[in-house]
Every structure is written in structure tokens, then in C-alpha cells.
Short mmCIF file of all heavy atoms in Angstrom, two decimals:
data_model
loop_
_atom_site.label_atom_id
_atom_site.label_comp_id
_atom_site.label_asym_id
_atom_site.label_seq_id
_atom_site.Cartn_x
_atom_site.Cartn_y
_atom_site.Cartn_z
N MET A 963 132.16 65.91 98.36
CA MET A 963 132.91 67.13 98.02
C MET A 963 131.97 68.13 97.36
O MET A 963 131.17 67.77 96.51
CB MET A 963 134.05 66.77 97.06
CG MET A 963 135.15 67.80 97.07
SD MET A 963 136.61 67.24 96.18
CE MET A 963 136.13 67.44 94.47
N THR A 964 132.04 69.39 97.74
CA THR A 964 131.16 70.39 97.15
C THR A 964 131.76 70.95 95.87
O THR A 964 132.96 71.07 95.73
CB THR A 964 130.90 71.56 98.13
OG1 THR A 964 132.14 72.19 98.41
CG2 THR A 964 130.26 71.07 99.40
N ASN A 965 130.87 71.23 94.92
CA ASN A 965 131.30 71.78 93.63
C ASN A 965 130.29 72.84 93.21
O ASN A 965 129.41 72.57 92.37
CB ASN A 965 131.40 70.64 92.60
CG ASN A 965 131.84 71.15 91.24
OD1 ASN A 965 132.41 72.23 91.12
ND2 ASN A 965 131.56 70.38 90.21
N PRO A 966 130.37 74.05 93.80
CA PRO A 966 129.38 75.07 93.48
C PRO A 966 129.52 75.55 92.04
O PRO A 966 130.63 75.86 91.60
CB PRO A 966 129.67 76.19 94.47
CG PRO A 966 131.06 75.97 94.91
CD PRO A 966 131.38 74.53 94.74
N ILE A 967 128.42 75.57 91.29
CA ILE A 967 128.47 76.08 89.92
C ILE A 967 127.85 77.48 89.84
O ILE A 967 128.10 78.20 88.89
CB ILE A 967 127.80 75.13 88.90
CG1 ILE A 967 126.39 74.75 89.33
CG2 ILE A 967 128.64 73.90 88.68
CD1 ILE A 967 125.62 74.02 88.25
N ILE A 968 127.04 77.84 90.84
CA ILE A 968 126.50 79.20 90.90
C ILE A 968 126.61 79.69 92.33
O ILE A 968 126.13 79.04 93.26
CB ILE A 968 125.03 79.26 90.44
CG1 ILE A 968 124.92 78.87 88.96
CG2 ILE A 968 124.44 80.66 90.67
CD1 ILE A 968 123.50 78.78 88.45
N VAL A 969 127.28 80.81 92.49
CA VAL A 969 127.43 81.42 93.82
C VAL A 969 126.84 82.83 93.77
O VAL A 969 127.27 83.66 92.97
CB VAL A 969 128.92 81.49 94.24
CG1 VAL A 969 129.06 82.20 95.58
CG2 VAL A 969 129.52 80.09 94.31
N VAL A 970 125.82 83.06 94.56
CA VAL A 970 125.16 84.36 94.64
C VAL A 970 125.52 84.95 96.00
O VAL A 970 125.23 84.35 97.04
CB VAL A 970 123.63 84.20 94.49
CG1 VAL A 970 122.92 85.53 94.69
CG2 VAL A 970 123.29 83.60 93.14
N ASP A 971 126.17 86.12 95.98
CA ASP A 971 126.72 86.66 97.21
C ASP A 971 126.14 88.04 97.51
O ASP A 971 126.52 89.04 96.90
CB ASP A 971 128.26 86.73 97.06
CG ASP A 971 128.94 87.34 98.27
OD1 ASP A 971 128.34 87.32 99.36
OD2 ASP A 971 130.07 87.83 98.13
N ASN A 972 125.17 88.07 98.41
CA ASN A 972 124.61 89.32 98.94
C ASN A 972 124.12 90.27 97.83
O ASN A 972 124.53 91.42 97.75
CB ASN A 972 125.68 90.02 99.81
CG ASN A 972 125.06 91.07 100.71
OD1 ASN A 972 123.88 91.02 101.04
ND2 ASN A 972 125.86 92.05 101.09
N ILE A 973 123.23 89.71 97.00
CA ILE A 973 122.68 90.48 95.88
C ILE A 973 121.57 91.42 96.34
O ILE A 973 120.66 91.02 97.06
CB ILE A 973 122.09 89.50 94.82
CG1 ILE A 973 123.21 88.74 94.12
CG2 ILE A 973 121.23 90.22 93.81
CD1 ILE A 973 124.11 89.62 93.32
N HIS A 974 121.68 92.64 95.89
CA HIS A 974 120.62 93.63 96.09
C HIS A 974 120.17 94.11 94.72
O HIS A 974 120.99 94.26 93.82
CB HIS A 974 121.11 94.84 96.88
CG HIS A 974 121.44 94.54 98.31
ND1 HIS A 974 120.74 95.05 99.36
CD2 HIS A 974 122.39 93.75 98.86
CE1 HIS A 974 121.24 94.62 100.50
NE2 HIS A 974 122.27 93.82 100.23
N LYS A 975 118.86 94.35 94.57
CA LYS A 975 118.36 94.93 93.34
C LYS A 975 117.20 95.87 93.65
O LYS A 975 116.26 95.49 94.34
CB LYS A 975 117.88 93.83 92.37
CG LYS A 975 117.28 94.36 91.08
CD LYS A 975 118.32 94.96 90.17
CE LYS A 975 117.70 95.50 88.89
NZ LYS A 975 118.71 96.07 87.99
N SER A 976 117.31 97.08 93.17
CA SER A 976 116.21 98.04 93.30
C SER A 976 115.82 98.51 91.91
O SER A 976 116.67 98.62 91.02
CB SER A 976 116.65 99.25 94.13
OG SER A 976 116.94 98.85 95.43
N TYR A 977 114.56 98.76 91.73
CA TYR A 977 114.07 99.36 90.49
C TYR A 977 113.71 100.81 90.76
O TYR A 977 113.11 101.11 91.80
CB TYR A 977 112.83 98.62 89.98
CG TYR A 977 113.12 97.22 89.51
CD1 TYR A 977 112.81 96.13 90.31
CD2 TYR A 977 113.69 96.98 88.27
CE1 TYR A 977 113.06 94.83 89.89
CE2 TYR A 977 113.95 95.71 87.83
CZ TYR A 977 113.63 94.63 88.65
OH TYR A 977 113.89 93.37 88.22
N LEU A 978 114.05 101.66 89.84
CA LEU A 978 113.69 103.07 89.99
C LEU A 978 112.28 103.29 89.44
O LEU A 978 111.99 102.99 88.29
CB LEU A 978 114.68 103.94 89.19
CG LEU A 978 115.85 104.55 89.96
CD1 LEU A 978 116.59 105.53 89.06
CD2 LEU A 978 115.40 105.23 91.24
N MET A 979 111.42 103.77 90.30
CA MET A 979 110.06 104.14 89.88
C MET A 979 109.98 105.65 90.01
O MET A 979 109.77 106.17 91.11
CB MET A 979 109.02 103.47 90.77
CG MET A 979 109.09 101.95 90.74
SD MET A 979 108.60 101.25 89.16
CE MET A 979 106.83 101.35 89.29
N GLY A 980 110.21 106.35 88.92
CA GLY A 980 110.37 107.80 89.01
C GLY A 980 111.67 108.09 89.74
O GLY A 980 112.73 107.65 89.33
N LYS A 981 111.54 108.77 90.89
CA LYS A 981 112.76 109.08 91.67
C LYS A 981 112.93 108.11 92.82
O LYS A 981 113.90 108.18 93.56
CB LYS A 981 112.66 110.51 92.21
CG LYS A 981 112.84 111.58 91.14
CD LYS A 981 112.80 112.96 91.75
CE LYS A 981 113.00 114.03 90.68
NZ LYS A 981 112.76 115.37 91.21
N GLU A 982 111.95 107.22 92.99
CA GLU A 982 111.97 106.35 94.16
C GLU A 982 112.55 104.98 93.81
O GLU A 982 112.15 104.35 92.82
CB GLU A 982 110.53 106.18 94.67
CG GLU A 982 110.47 105.69 96.10
CD GLU A 982 109.02 105.59 96.60
OE1 GLU A 982 108.16 106.30 96.02
OE2 GLU A 982 108.77 104.81 97.51
N ALA A 983 113.50 104.51 94.63
CA ALA A 983 114.08 103.18 94.43
C ALA A 983 113.22 102.15 95.18
O ALA A 983 113.05 102.24 96.39
CB ALA A 983 115.51 103.14 94.94
N VAL A 984 112.66 101.20 94.44
CA VAL A 984 111.83 100.16 95.04
C VAL A 984 112.66 98.88 95.15
O VAL A 984 113.10 98.34 94.14
CB VAL A 984 110.57 99.89 94.18
CG1 VAL A 984 109.73 98.78 94.78
CG2 VAL A 984 109.76 101.16 94.02
N PRO A 985 112.92 98.41 96.38
CA PRO A 985 113.75 97.23 96.53
C PRO A 985 113.03 95.96 96.09
O PRO A 985 111.88 95.74 96.46
CB PRO A 985 114.08 97.19 98.03
CG PRO A 985 113.02 97.99 98.68
CD PRO A 985 112.51 98.97 97.68
N ALA A 986 113.69 95.16 95.26
CA ALA A 986 113.13 93.86 94.85
C ALA A 986 113.89 92.73 95.52
O ALA A 986 113.30 91.72 95.89
CB ALA A 986 113.20 93.71 93.33
N LEU A 987 115.20 92.87 95.69
CA LEU A 987 116.02 91.89 96.39
C LEU A 987 116.86 92.62 97.42
O LEU A 987 117.50 93.63 97.10
CB LEU A 987 116.95 91.15 95.40
CG LEU A 987 116.28 90.36 94.27
CD1 LEU A 987 117.35 89.80 93.34
CD2 LEU A 987 115.41 89.24 94.82
N ARG A 988 116.88 92.10 98.64
CA ARG A 988 117.64 92.76 99.71
C ARG A 988 118.57 91.75 100.36
O ARG A 988 118.23 91.13 101.36
CB ARG A 988 116.68 93.35 100.75
CG ARG A 988 115.94 94.56 100.23
CD ARG A 988 114.97 95.11 101.24
NE ARG A 988 113.76 94.30 101.29
CZ ARG A 988 112.61 94.73 101.78
NH1 ARG A 988 112.52 95.92 102.30
NH2 ARG A 988 111.56 93.94 101.78
N GLY A 989 119.74 91.55 99.74
CA GLY A 989 120.75 90.70 100.37
C GLY A 989 120.46 89.23 100.22
O GLY A 989 120.25 88.52 101.21
N VAL A 990 120.44 88.75 98.97
CA VAL A 990 120.18 87.33 98.71
C VAL A 990 121.50 86.60 98.46
O VAL A 990 122.33 87.06 97.67
CB VAL A 990 119.27 87.16 97.47
CG1 VAL A 990 119.10 85.69 97.11
CG2 VAL A 990 117.93 87.82 97.70
N SER A 991 121.71 85.51 99.17
CA SER A 991 122.91 84.70 98.99
C SER A 991 122.49 83.24 98.86
O SER A 991 121.60 82.78 99.58
CB SER A 991 123.86 84.83 100.18
OG SER A 991 124.29 86.15 100.33
N LEU A 992 123.11 82.53 97.93
CA LEU A 992 122.88 81.09 97.83
C LEU A 992 123.99 80.45 97.00
O LEU A 992 124.63 81.12 96.19
CB LEU A 992 121.52 80.78 97.20
CG LEU A 992 121.24 81.31 95.79
CD1 LEU A 992 121.46 80.22 94.76
CD2 LEU A 992 119.81 81.82 95.69
N ASN A 993 124.22 79.18 97.26
CA ASN A 993 125.15 78.39 96.45
C ASN A 993 124.38 77.25 95.83
O ASN A 993 123.59 76.60 96.51
CB ASN A 993 126.26 77.77 97.31
CG ASN A 993 127.24 78.79 97.81
OD1 ASN A 993 127.19 79.95 97.42
ND2 ASN A 993 128.13 78.37 98.68
N ILE A 994 124.61 77.02 94.55
CA ILE A 994 124.01 75.85 93.88
C ILE A 994 125.14 74.93 93.48
O ILE A 994 126.09 75.33 92.80
CB ILE A 994 123.17 76.28 92.66
CG1 ILE A 994 122.00 77.16 93.15
CG2 ILE A 994 122.65 75.04 91.93
CD1 ILE A 994 121.14 77.73 92.04
N GLN A 995 125.04 73.69 93.95
CA GLN A 995 126.08 72.70 93.68
C GLN A 995 125.77 71.95 92.39
O GLN A 995 124.60 71.81 92.02
CB GLN A 995 126.15 71.67 94.83
CG GLN A 995 126.23 72.28 96.22
CD GLN A 995 127.55 72.97 96.47
OE1 GLN A 995 128.58 72.62 95.89
NE2 GLN A 995 127.54 73.98 97.33
N ALA A 996 126.80 71.48 91.73
CA ALA A 996 126.61 70.65 90.55
C ALA A 996 125.72 69.47 90.92
O ALA A 996 125.92 68.84 91.96
CB ALA A 996 127.97 70.15 90.05
N GLY A 997 124.71 69.22 90.10
CA GLY A 997 123.80 68.10 90.36
C GLY A 997 122.61 68.46 91.24
O GLY A 997 121.71 67.65 91.40
N ASP A 998 122.63 69.66 91.81
CA ASP A 998 121.49 70.08 92.64
C ASP A 998 120.23 70.19 91.80
O ASP A 998 120.28 70.60 90.63
CB ASP A 998 121.74 71.45 93.26
CG ASP A 998 122.52 71.39 94.57
OD1 ASP A 998 122.86 70.28 95.00
OD2 ASP A 998 122.79 72.47 95.13
N PHE A 999 119.09 69.87 92.37
CA PHE A 999 117.78 70.12 91.78
C PHE A 999 117.15 71.21 92.63
O PHE A 999 116.87 70.99 93.81
CB PHE A 999 116.93 68.84 91.79
CG PHE A 999 115.62 68.97 91.08
CD1 PHE A 999 115.49 68.57 89.75
CD2 PHE A 999 114.52 69.48 91.73
CE1 PHE A 999 114.28 68.68 89.09
CE2 PHE A 999 113.29 69.61 91.09
CZ PHE A 999 113.18 69.20 89.76
N VAL A 1000 117.02 72.41 92.06
CA VAL A 1000 116.66 73.57 92.87
C VAL A 1000 115.28 74.09 92.47
O VAL A 1000 114.96 74.18 91.28
CB VAL A 1000 117.70 74.71 92.68
CG1 VAL A 1000 117.32 75.93 93.51
CG2 VAL A 1000 119.08 74.21 93.06
N CYS A 1001 114.48 74.43 93.47
CA CYS A 1001 113.16 75.00 93.25
C CYS A 1001 113.11 76.36 93.95
O CYS A 1001 113.44 76.46 95.12
CB CYS A 1001 112.12 74.05 93.83
SG CYS A 1001 110.45 74.60 93.61
N LEU A 1002 112.72 77.38 93.22
CA LEU A 1002 112.64 78.74 93.77
C LEU A 1002 111.18 79.05 94.02
O LEU A 1002 110.38 79.10 93.09
CB LEU A 1002 113.25 79.71 92.76
CG LEU A 1002 113.32 81.18 93.11
CD1 LEU A 1002 114.11 81.41 94.38
CD2 LEU A 1002 113.95 81.95 91.96
N MET A 1003 110.82 79.23 95.27
CA MET A 1003 109.41 79.41 95.63
C MET A 1003 109.21 80.71 96.41
O MET A 1003 110.09 81.11 97.17
CB MET A 1003 108.93 78.24 96.50
CG MET A 1003 108.93 76.91 95.78
SD MET A 1003 108.64 75.54 96.89
CE MET A 1003 106.93 75.83 97.32
N GLY A 1004 108.06 81.31 96.23
CA GLY A 1004 107.74 82.52 97.00
C GLY A 1004 106.50 83.16 96.41
O GLY A 1004 106.15 82.90 95.25
N PRO A 1005 105.84 84.02 97.16
CA PRO A 1005 104.64 84.68 96.67
C PRO A 1005 104.94 85.61 95.51
O PRO A 1005 106.10 85.99 95.28
CB PRO A 1005 104.11 85.45 97.88
CG PRO A 1005 105.21 85.49 98.86
CD PRO A 1005 106.16 84.39 98.55
N SER A 1006 103.89 85.98 94.80
CA SER A 1006 104.03 86.93 93.70
C SER A 1006 104.64 88.23 94.22
O SER A 1006 104.26 88.74 95.27
CB SER A 1006 102.64 87.19 93.11
OG SER A 1006 102.75 88.13 92.07
N GLY A 1007 105.64 88.71 93.51
CA GLY A 1007 106.28 89.97 93.89
C GLY A 1007 107.45 89.81 94.85
O GLY A 1007 108.03 90.79 95.29
N SER A 1008 107.81 88.55 95.17
CA SER A 1008 108.88 88.34 96.16
C SER A 1008 110.27 88.40 95.55
O SER A 1008 111.26 88.35 96.30
CB SER A 1008 108.66 87.02 96.90
OG SER A 1008 108.71 85.93 96.01
N GLY A 1009 110.37 88.46 94.22
CA GLY A 1009 111.68 88.65 93.59
C GLY A 1009 112.22 87.46 92.83
O GLY A 1009 113.39 87.46 92.42
N LYS A 1010 111.39 86.44 92.59
CA LYS A 1010 111.87 85.23 91.89
C LYS A 1010 112.38 85.57 90.49
O LYS A 1010 113.48 85.16 90.10
CB LYS A 1010 110.73 84.19 91.80
CG LYS A 1010 110.14 83.78 93.12
CD LYS A 1010 109.01 82.79 92.96
CE LYS A 1010 107.82 83.27 92.13
NZ LYS A 1010 107.04 84.35 92.81
N THR A 1011 111.57 86.27 89.72
CA THR A 1011 111.96 86.60 88.34
C THR A 1011 113.19 87.50 88.33
O THR A 1011 114.11 87.31 87.53
CB THR A 1011 110.79 87.28 87.60
OG1 THR A 1011 109.73 86.32 87.50
CG2 THR A 1011 111.19 87.72 86.20
N THR A 1012 113.24 88.46 89.25
CA THR A 1012 114.39 89.36 89.34
C THR A 1012 115.65 88.55 89.60
O THR A 1012 116.69 88.75 88.94
CB THR A 1012 114.17 90.38 90.48
OG1 THR A 1012 112.98 91.13 90.19
CG2 THR A 1012 115.34 91.33 90.61
N LEU A 1013 115.60 87.61 90.54
CA LEU A 1013 116.77 86.80 90.87
C LEU A 1013 117.19 85.94 89.68
O LEU A 1013 118.38 85.87 89.34
CB LEU A 1013 116.47 85.92 92.09
CG LEU A 1013 117.61 85.00 92.52
CD1 LEU A 1013 118.85 85.80 92.93
CD2 LEU A 1013 117.18 84.10 93.69
N LEU A 1014 116.23 85.30 89.01
CA LEU A 1014 116.56 84.45 87.86
C LEU A 1014 117.14 85.27 86.72
O LEU A 1014 118.08 84.82 86.04
CB LEU A 1014 115.34 83.66 87.40
CG LEU A 1014 114.88 82.56 88.36
CD1 LEU A 1014 113.62 81.90 87.84
CD2 LEU A 1014 115.97 81.51 88.55
N ASN A 1015 116.61 86.47 86.50
CA ASN A 1015 117.16 87.32 85.44
C ASN A 1015 118.61 87.71 85.74
O ASN A 1015 119.44 87.80 84.83
CB ASN A 1015 116.32 88.59 85.28
CG ASN A 1015 115.01 88.34 84.56
OD1 ASN A 1015 114.82 87.28 83.97
ND2 ASN A 1015 114.11 89.29 84.62
N ILE A 1016 118.91 87.93 87.01
CA ILE A 1016 120.28 88.31 87.38
C ILE A 1016 121.21 87.10 87.26
O ILE A 1016 122.31 87.20 86.70
CB ILE A 1016 120.31 88.93 88.79
CG1 ILE A 1016 119.61 90.29 88.76
CG2 ILE A 1016 121.74 89.08 89.29
CD1 ILE A 1016 119.43 90.93 90.12
N ILE A 1017 120.76 85.94 87.74
CA ILE A 1017 121.61 84.74 87.63
C ILE A 1017 121.85 84.41 86.16
O ILE A 1017 122.95 84.01 85.77
CB ILE A 1017 120.95 83.53 88.36
CG1 ILE A 1017 121.00 83.75 89.87
CG2 ILE A 1017 121.65 82.22 87.99
CD1 ILE A 1017 120.28 82.67 90.68
N GLY A 1018 120.84 84.63 85.32
CA GLY A 1018 120.97 84.32 83.89
C GLY A 1018 121.70 85.39 83.10
O GLY A 1018 121.90 85.23 81.90
N GLY A 1019 122.08 86.48 83.74
CA GLY A 1019 122.84 87.52 83.06
C GLY A 1019 121.99 88.48 82.25
O GLY A 1019 122.51 89.27 81.47
N LEU A 1020 120.65 88.42 82.42
CA LEU A 1020 119.77 89.31 81.67
C LEU A 1020 119.65 90.67 82.33
O LEU A 1020 119.26 91.64 81.71
CB LEU A 1020 118.36 88.69 81.55
CG LEU A 1020 118.28 87.33 80.86
CD1 LEU A 1020 116.86 86.82 80.89
CD2 LEU A 1020 118.78 87.44 79.43
N ASP A 1021 119.96 90.70 83.63
CA ASP A 1021 119.85 91.95 84.38
C ASP A 1021 121.03 92.04 85.33
O ASP A 1021 121.68 91.03 85.62
CB ASP A 1021 118.51 91.97 85.14
CG ASP A 1021 118.03 93.38 85.44
OD1 ASP A 1021 118.79 94.34 85.20
OD2 ASP A 1021 116.90 93.51 85.94
N LYS A 1022 121.30 93.26 85.82
CA LYS A 1022 122.46 93.48 86.69
C LYS A 1022 122.00 93.73 88.12
O LYS A 1022 121.01 94.46 88.33
CB LYS A 1022 123.19 94.75 86.24
CG LYS A 1022 124.14 94.56 85.10
CD LYS A 1022 125.08 95.76 85.06
CE LYS A 1022 125.11 96.37 83.69
NZ LYS A 1022 125.84 97.63 83.65
N PRO A 1023 122.74 93.20 89.09
CA PRO A 1023 122.41 93.56 90.48
C PRO A 1023 122.81 95.00 90.76
O PRO A 1023 123.72 95.54 90.12
CB PRO A 1023 123.26 92.58 91.31
CG PRO A 1023 124.38 92.17 90.42
CD PRO A 1023 123.87 92.26 89.01
N SER A 1024 122.11 95.65 91.70
CA SER A 1024 122.52 96.98 92.13
C SER A 1024 123.75 96.87 93.01
O SER A 1024 124.56 97.78 93.10
CB SER A 1024 121.40 97.66 92.92
OG SER A 1024 120.18 97.57 92.24
N ARG A 1025 123.88 95.74 93.70
CA ARG A 1025 124.98 95.49 94.63
C ARG A 1025 125.15 93.99 94.78
O ARG A 1025 124.18 93.25 94.68
CB ARG A 1025 124.56 96.06 96.00
CG ARG A 1025 125.67 96.74 96.76
CD ARG A 1025 125.04 97.37 97.99
NE ARG A 1025 125.24 96.53 99.16
CZ ARG A 1025 124.57 96.71 100.31
NH1 ARG A 1025 123.68 97.65 100.43
NH2 ARG A 1025 124.82 95.93 101.31
N GLY A 1026 126.39 93.55 94.99
CA GLY A 1026 126.64 92.13 95.22
C GLY A 1026 127.32 91.48 94.04
O GLY A 1026 127.61 92.12 93.03
N HIS A 1027 127.57 90.17 94.19
CA HIS A 1027 128.37 89.46 93.20
C HIS A 1027 127.70 88.14 92.82
O HIS A 1027 127.05 87.52 93.63
CB HIS A 1027 129.76 89.15 93.74
CG HIS A 1027 130.50 90.38 94.13
ND1 HIS A 1027 131.15 91.17 93.23
CD2 HIS A 1027 130.65 90.97 95.34
CE1 HIS A 1027 131.68 92.20 93.87
NE2 HIS A 1027 131.40 92.10 95.14
N ILE A 1028 127.92 87.77 91.57
CA ILE A 1028 127.48 86.45 91.07
C ILE A 1028 128.69 85.79 90.45
O ILE A 1028 129.39 86.40 89.64
CB ILE A 1028 126.45 86.59 89.94
CG1 ILE A 1028 125.23 87.37 90.39
CG2 ILE A 1028 126.07 85.23 89.39
CD1 ILE A 1028 124.13 86.58 90.97
N VAL A 1029 128.91 84.54 90.79
CA VAL A 1029 129.96 83.76 90.13
C VAL A 1029 129.29 82.55 89.50
O VAL A 1029 128.49 81.87 90.15
CB VAL A 1029 131.04 83.30 91.13
CG1 VAL A 1029 132.07 82.43 90.43
CG2 VAL A 1029 131.70 84.49 91.79
N GLN A 1030 129.58 82.33 88.23
CA GLN A 1030 129.06 81.14 87.55
C GLN A 1030 130.21 80.41 86.91
O GLN A 1030 130.98 81.01 86.17
CB GLN A 1030 128.12 81.56 86.42
CG GLN A 1030 126.69 81.66 86.83
CD GLN A 1030 125.78 81.63 85.63
OE1 GLN A 1030 126.00 80.87 84.71
NE2 GLN A 1030 124.76 82.45 85.64
N LYS A 1031 130.31 79.13 87.18
CA LYS A 1031 131.30 78.34 86.45
C LYS A 1031 130.79 78.12 85.05
O LYS A 1031 129.59 77.94 84.83
CB LYS A 1031 131.49 76.99 87.12
CG LYS A 1031 132.49 77.03 88.22
CD LYS A 1031 132.94 75.63 88.57
CE LYS A 1031 133.74 75.68 89.85
NZ LYS A 1031 133.90 74.35 90.42
N THR A 1032 131.69 78.14 84.09
CA THR A 1032 131.29 77.92 82.70
C THR A 1032 130.76 76.50 82.55
O THR A 1032 131.41 75.54 82.94
CB THR A 1032 132.49 78.13 81.78
OG1 THR A 1032 133.02 79.42 82.05
CG2 THR A 1032 132.08 78.05 80.33
N ILE A 1033 129.56 76.42 81.98
CA ILE A 1033 128.98 75.10 81.72
C ILE A 1033 128.49 75.04 80.28
O ILE A 1033 128.18 76.07 79.68
CB ILE A 1033 127.81 74.78 82.68
CG1 ILE A 1033 126.80 75.94 82.68
CG2 ILE A 1033 128.31 74.51 84.08
CD1 ILE A 1033 125.55 75.64 83.45
N ASN A 1034 128.43 73.86 79.73
CA ASN A 1034 127.86 73.69 78.39
C ASN A 1034 126.35 73.64 78.52
O ASN A 1034 125.81 72.77 79.21
CB ASN A 1034 128.37 72.38 77.76
CG ASN A 1034 129.81 72.49 77.36
OD1 ASN A 1034 130.30 73.57 77.00
ND2 ASN A 1034 130.53 71.40 77.46
N ILE A 1035 125.68 74.59 77.87
CA ILE A 1035 124.21 74.61 77.93
C ILE A 1035 123.63 73.79 76.79
O ILE A 1035 122.64 73.07 76.95
CB ILE A 1035 123.72 76.07 77.91
CG1 ILE A 1035 124.19 76.77 79.19
CG2 ILE A 1035 122.19 76.10 77.84
CD1 ILE A 1035 123.87 78.24 79.25
N TYR A 1036 124.24 73.88 75.62
CA TYR A 1036 123.81 73.05 74.49
C TYR A 1036 124.93 72.16 74.05
O TYR A 1036 126.09 72.54 74.14
CB TYR A 1036 123.37 73.94 73.31
CG TYR A 1036 122.18 74.79 73.63
CD1 TYR A 1036 122.31 76.17 73.75
CD2 TYR A 1036 120.92 74.22 73.84
CE1 TYR A 1036 121.22 76.96 74.06
CE2 TYR A 1036 119.84 75.01 74.13
CZ TYR A 1036 119.98 76.38 74.25
OH TYR A 1036 118.90 77.16 74.54
N1 ADP B 1607 110.91 96.07 85.59
C1 ADP B 1607 110.50 96.41 86.80
N2 ADP B 1607 110.33 97.72 87.14
C2 ADP B 1607 109.93 98.08 88.38
N3 ADP B 1607 109.66 97.21 89.38
C3 ADP B 1607 109.80 95.91 89.11
C4 ADP B 1607 110.23 95.42 87.82
N4 ADP B 1607 110.28 94.06 87.85
C5 ADP B 1607 109.91 93.72 89.10
N5 ADP B 1607 109.60 94.81 89.86
C6 ADP B 1607 109.19 94.80 91.28
O1 ADP B 1607 110.15 94.02 92.00
C7 ADP B 1607 109.49 93.19 92.96
C8 ADP B 1607 109.83 91.73 92.64
O2 ADP B 1607 109.18 91.36 91.40
P1 ADP B 1607 109.43 89.98 90.64
O3 ADP B 1607 110.91 89.70 90.61
O4 ADP B 1607 108.73 90.07 89.34
O5 ADP B 1607 108.73 88.94 91.64
P2 ADP B 1607 108.12 87.48 91.32
O6 ADP B 1607 108.74 86.95 90.06
O7 ADP B 1607 108.48 86.66 92.55
O8 ADP B 1607 106.63 87.68 91.22
C9 ADP B 1607 108.02 93.54 92.90
O9 ADP B 1607 107.79 94.53 93.88
C10 ADP B 1607 107.86 94.10 91.49
O10 ADP B 1607 106.79 95.02 91.45
MG1 MG B 1608 107.89 86.17 88.29
#
């Protein structure tokens, strides 16, 4: 049975550099199930930190949705 604790649905994120929007994430979707061991891999500049900041609630997506089930962290 699946039990998704993090659902990322078509996330987009752009950073404004002056007047120009620089895309960092273009339509990222993923589900993480309870008990999953997940590794996020990609070259420098591919958006790993941006995605983790958004999943962690430190930053906002420009477009898309994140659902997180409440979990005890400590
Ligand atoms: N605060 C920021 N302002 C402007 N551009 C950013 C910022 N953070 C990241 N970027 C740009 O977004 C893209 C993804 O960066 P990042 O998420 O840091 O990738 P990674 O962690 O995979 O190296 C890169 O093009 C980077 O230059
Ligand atoms: Mg990084």
C-alpha cells in the first residue's frame, strides 16, 4: 500500500536577475513514500538546493503545489 508523505506537483521556480527571470526548476513532480530512502542527484546548478529549500518550506515555488503530511521531526 502506498503512503506518500511528500507530494511535489509540477513545481516551477524562477529567480529574478534584474528584470530577467532565470528558470531553476521547470515542472518537477515526485512522490516520496513513507520509508523511502531518497537520493537527489544532478550536476551543479541543476536545481537540487532550490528543490530541497521548497520542500523544506524555506522558499516558495513560482508555480505548482507541495503537499506534506505532518510528521514528527524531533
Ligand atoms: N538565490 C538565487 N538567485 C538567483 N539564482 C539562483 C539562486 N539560487 C539558485 N539560482 C540559480 O538556480 C539554478 C539552480 O541552482 P541550485 O538550486 O543552487 O542548483 P544545485 O543545488 O543543483 O547546484 C542555477 O542556475 C543557479 O544559478
Ligand atoms: Mg546545491
